[in-house]
Amino acid sequence: MSESSSSVRLLSYETLVHAVAGAMGSVTAMTVFFPLDTARIRLQVDENRKSQSTPIILAEIAKEEGILSLYRGWFPVISSLCCSNFVYFYTFNTLKRVMVSDRSKPSKDLLMGFISGAVNVLLTTPMWVVNTRLKLQGAKFRNEDLHQTHYKGIFDAFSQIIANEGVGTLWNGTLPSLVLVFNPAVQFMFYEAMKRRAGHGGRKISSFEIFLIGAIAKAIATSATYPLQTVQAILRFGQYKSDGKGGLVGSLKNVVSLLMDRIKRHGLLGLYKGLEAKLLQTVLTAALMFVVYEKITAATFKLMGLQKKLKH
């Protein structure tokens, strides 16, 4: 009976609803705010591009490369994000069913967030490596050391990377990504804690409150981990010249080297280049994602006549 009970917990309909809703919410939100992500990644990867306000960066890109360039790489990013959030929400809510017997606590939320993030990173990093390459393909870099790539699509990018750089390259940036599970873990910890407080006593939480809670939670998590996100983007792009002969790209040595090089060239604030664009994009995206997620789960459970069994 115990094995049967565990299977039901791992393969429950409610958990699947949460996973699909999380994926749909992230796709909707990212599509709305995608140009902000374009500005963010340009500032992170192209060191010679001046750090200006987000509207100016977007205007420059649109003028030099056309208005559609603001949505370059949309499909691979959305595909990766959809898979990534499905994995994360499914793992998080499965752990919630297994680990939370009575009332959830911030410490448990943090632990579940870390585990979910690690599973997500190991399964979806290859997709993020490919979409970073495709998103920057055709970009007009200020840094002349960066060269153009020529991929015909997602599958061609996968095959070229494997053939020319090896399978291991698909996991470039895994180390900073694993460290960065701190980001969604902290985000979910604050989100769940603030949502429990707002809904204390059975009070119904409004969409605006969900939006605000999601925005605050993501702003805290992003500000704390942004330097590592910059290193992650550079490693995924695959044009960082390591001092070592071979070795694992994304190793601790490369991460530390990139951080120190950034500080040496641009000062401590150089680690936060593009933070404005990142905060705008990630905070607004996360806030809208949580609103869509909560609405979809509530509507689905109501439609199917199910009660939420997950503890909040």
Side-chain angles (χ1 to χ4, degrees):
M1 287 296 290
S2 60
E3 289 184 7
S4 177
S5 177
S6 297
S7 298
V8 170
R9 284 183 171 185
L10 292 174
L11 302 173
S12 72
Y13 177 78
E14 289 89 344
T15 304
L16 182 62
V17 170
H18 281 281
V20 172
M24 292 298 294
S26 62
V27 167
T28 302
M30 177 57 87
T31 299
V32 173
F33 299 114
F34 193 81
L36 297 175
D37 191 57
T38 298
R40 182 270 308 176
I41 201 166
R42 294 294 183 89
L43 287 169
Q44 285 182 323
V45 171
D46 192 353
E47 287 191 13
N48 292 350
R49 182 179 284 276
K50 291 182 180 179
S51 184
Q52 297 172 306
S53 67
T54 303
I56 293 176
I57 295 295
L58 292 174
E60 283 182 355
I61 294 172
K63 182 179 179 181
E64 294 173 6
E65 304 170 33
I67 191 72
L68 291 179
S69 65
L70 298 177
Y71 276 87
R72 180 183 291 126
W74 173 84
F75 182 73
V77 169
I78 290 300
S79 301
S80 301
L81 191 65
C82 184
C83 294
S84 183
N85 275 277
F86 182 91
V87 170
Y88 191 93
F89 275 86
Y90 194 94
T91 306
F92 185 86
N93 284 285
T94 297
L95 290 172
K96 205 172 187 182
R97 294 178 66 84
V98 173
M99 295 174 62
V100 181
S101 57
D102 182 24
R103 186 177 178 83
S104 185
K105 298 178 181 178
S107 57
K108 282 190 176 181
D109 291 334
L110 188 63
L111 177 60
M112 292 186 296
F114 271 116
I115 296 172
S116 302
V119 171
N120 177 36
V121 165
L122 295 174
L123 291 178
T124 65
T125 288
M127 296 188 70
W128 287 109
V129 168
V130 166
N131 86 52
T132 299
R133 306 279 185 101
L134 291 172
K135 190 172 175 61
L136 291 168
Q137 187 165 275
K140 294 185 179 179
F141 297 116
R142 302 290 193 272
N143 188 346
E144 295 179 357
D145 292 334
L146 300 178
H147 58 80
Q148 291 292 337
T149 54
H150 303 282
Y151 304 123
K152 296 176 182 177
I154 296 176
F155 295 110
D156 182 58
F158 269 111
S159 61
Q160 282 198 45
I161 290 170
I162 292 171
N164 300 327
E165 304 172 50
V167 176
T169 303
L170 292 173
W171 276 268
N172 271 3
T174 297
L175 181 62
S177 295
L178 284 171
V179 176
L180 281 170
V181 302
F182 175 75
N183 183 302
V186 169
Q187 174 191 348
F188 269 75
M189 181 185 72
F190 277 99
Y191 176 77
E192 292 286 337
M194 287 188 286
K195 194 172 73 169
R196 281 194 297 270
R197 183 179 290 270
H200 184 68
R203 176 178 169 273
K204 186 176 180 181
I205 308 173
S206 69
S207 296
F208 176 75
E209 287 176 307
I210 291 292
F211 187 91
L212 193 61
I213 289 170
I216 294 171
K218 192 60 177 180
I220 294 170
T222 297
S223 299
T225 60
Y226 188 75
L228 276 173
Q229 292 182 49
T230 297
V231 170
Q232 178 192 57
I234 293 170
L235 290 173
R236 282 175 173 175
F237 188 40
Q239 296 193 28
Y240 168 64
K241 296 178 176 62
S242 173
D243 292 334
K245 296 180 181 179
L248 291 174
V249 179
S251 67
L252 181 60
K253 181 180 177 181
N254 283 342
V255 171
V256 173
S257 177
L258 274 167
L259 288 171
M260 296 308 295
D261 183 60
R262 197 83 170 189
I263 294 173
K264 184 178 179 181
R265 291 189 184 189
H266 307 288
L268 196 60
L269 290 179
L271 294 176
Y272 290 89
K273 184 182 179 185
L275 178 60
E276 178 201 350
K278 179 63 178 177
L279 278 175
L280 273 174
Q281 178 263 320
T282 197
V283 169
L284 292 174
T285 299
L288 181 57
M289 182 269 290
F290 277 120
V291 171
V292 176
Y293 161 69
E294 294 287 353
K295 290 295 183 184
I296 290 177
T297 51
T300 304
F301 286 130
K302 184 176 181 180
L303 182 65
M304 302 304 294
L306 294 172
Q307 296 294 322
K308 285 189 180 181
K309 296 179 181 178
L310 297 182
K311 304 291 187 276
H312 291 288

